Amino acid sequence: MKTTSYNPSPIEVEFANVLNQLQGNIGNLLSNNEIIKVENNIHKDNPMVKFYLLDSDGDPHEVVLKIIQTADKF
């Protein structure tokens, strides 16, 4: 399937939604951090998923994932 729109592309939006749905599984795999909130902004040109974490010392951290699909190579 050729991608006709990249702002955002359907694949980028789907990946952002999947990451949001997997937050429980991701949290279970983190050894010293707990996910306390997830922000999912799928409407940007490049969708973003931001994880708010709390480490074992009680310190807050943020991890931001930007999802970017490269141009199709046909």
Side-chain angles (χ1 to χ4, degrees), residues 61-74:
H61 302 279
E62 296 177 14
V63 174
V64 179
L65 302 171
K66 268 211 170 259
I67 297 134
I68 301 168
Q69 180 185 0
T70 59
D72 293 340
K73 295 169 179 66
F74 292 102

Side-chain angles (χ1 to χ4, degrees), residues 9-27 29 35 38-42 47-51 65 67:
S9 76
I11 294 172
E12 291 172 341
V13 171
E14 186 173 22
F15 261 88
N17 284 325
V18 167
L19 286 170
N20 189 43
Q21 291 172 24
L22 290 174
Q23 65 181 285
N25 297 50
I26 294 168
L29 296 171
I35 297 173
V38 175
E39 202 174 282
N40 188 4
N41 191 337
I42 63 171
M48 176 196 74
V49 181
K50 184 185 284 190
F51 289 85
L65 302 171
I67 297 134

Side-chain angles (χ1 to χ4, degrees), residues 31-34 53-61:
S31 58
N32 294 311
N33 288 279
E34 172 190 356
L53 308 169
L54 198 60
D55 70 17
S56 57
D57 293 331
D59 298 324
H61 302 279

